[in-house]
Amino acid sequence: MSRLQLALNVSDLDAAIDFYSRLFGTSPRKVQPGYANFAIDEPPLKLVLIENPNAEGGSINHLGVEVFTVDEVAAATQRLASAGLETEVEMSTTCCYAVQDKVWVSGPDTERWEVYTVLADVDTFGLSTDETCCTSESSSEPISFRSR
């Protein structure tokens, strides 16, 4: 089992949380400074909201497929590489307030897709000077959050 992930840049996290809570009839699973995510059962969706003043509100930050085991990430990595797609594997990386194993690929218009599993929740977003968590592969600009 897996679910599609849609990560959106938002200009006002509180307003976005309010809207998506009402739209999907559920509360966020996780809320941190500049970040929230919803684990929606119907339709199966992981909705991620990233408050990002460097991007247009409502734009796509990145896309993904959340899977529930490390073996599923490994199988996706093998399948994607066998299909001729260039993969970027990150193991035990901290991103979006979670430790994750993941594989990234880029679509024909440079849209970023990840297949990932969450290993543990943590209290930090995961940005450091050499990481590009949830940013465009072509951009070296990390996300800077607005304070809430």
Side-chain angles (χ1 to χ4, degrees):
M1 178 105 186
S2 60
R3 70 175 126 220
L4 186 65
Q5 176 193 311
L6 172 61
L8 296 176
N9 295 309
V10 299
S11 57
D12 182 331
L13 185 63
D14 292 329
I17 289 171
D18 178 60
F19 174 79
Y20 289 107
S21 293
R22 290 187 287 146
L23 177 65
F24 291 109
T26 189
S27 299
R29 187 185 77 75
K30 184 188 300 185
V31 177
Q32 294 285 346
Y35 176 89
N37 78 41
F38 293 77
I40 300 163
D41 292 330
E42 189 55 42
L45 174 67
K46 180 71 163 273
L47 177 64
V48 177
L49 306 174
I50 300 172
E51 194 167 40
N52 186 352
N54 299 325
E56 182 179 341
S59 62
I60 293 175
N61 184 285
H62 65 280
L63 303 160
V65 177
E66 181 184 30
V67 296
F68 300 101
T69 70
V70 173
D71 290 341
E72 289 172 289
V73 173
T77 302
Q78 179 62 40
R79 182 183 61 76
L80 295 168
S82 294
L85 298 174
E86 186 175 327
T87 60
E88 178 187 337
V89 176
E90 295 179 340
M91 305 303 282
S92 297
T93 189
T94 300
C95 185
C96 296
Y97 295 99
V99 177
Q100 305 171 2
D101 281 359
K102 63 175 75 184
V103 58
W104 288 96
V105 296
S106 292
D109 292 313
T110 69
E111 66 276 13
R112 299 277 285 161
W113 280 89
E114 65 177 329
V115 177
Y116 72 99
T117 190
V118 173
L119 304 173
D121 287 331
V122 294
D123 293 330
T124 58
F125 186 76
L127 287 176
S128 70
T129 57
D130 61 346
E131 285 183 292
T132 56
C133 177
C134 300
T135 62
S136 166
E137 181 179 56
S138 61
S139 170
S140 61
E141 290 294 316
I143 295 168
S144 61
F145 294 120
R146 294 181 182 174
S147 58
R148 292 188 69 197

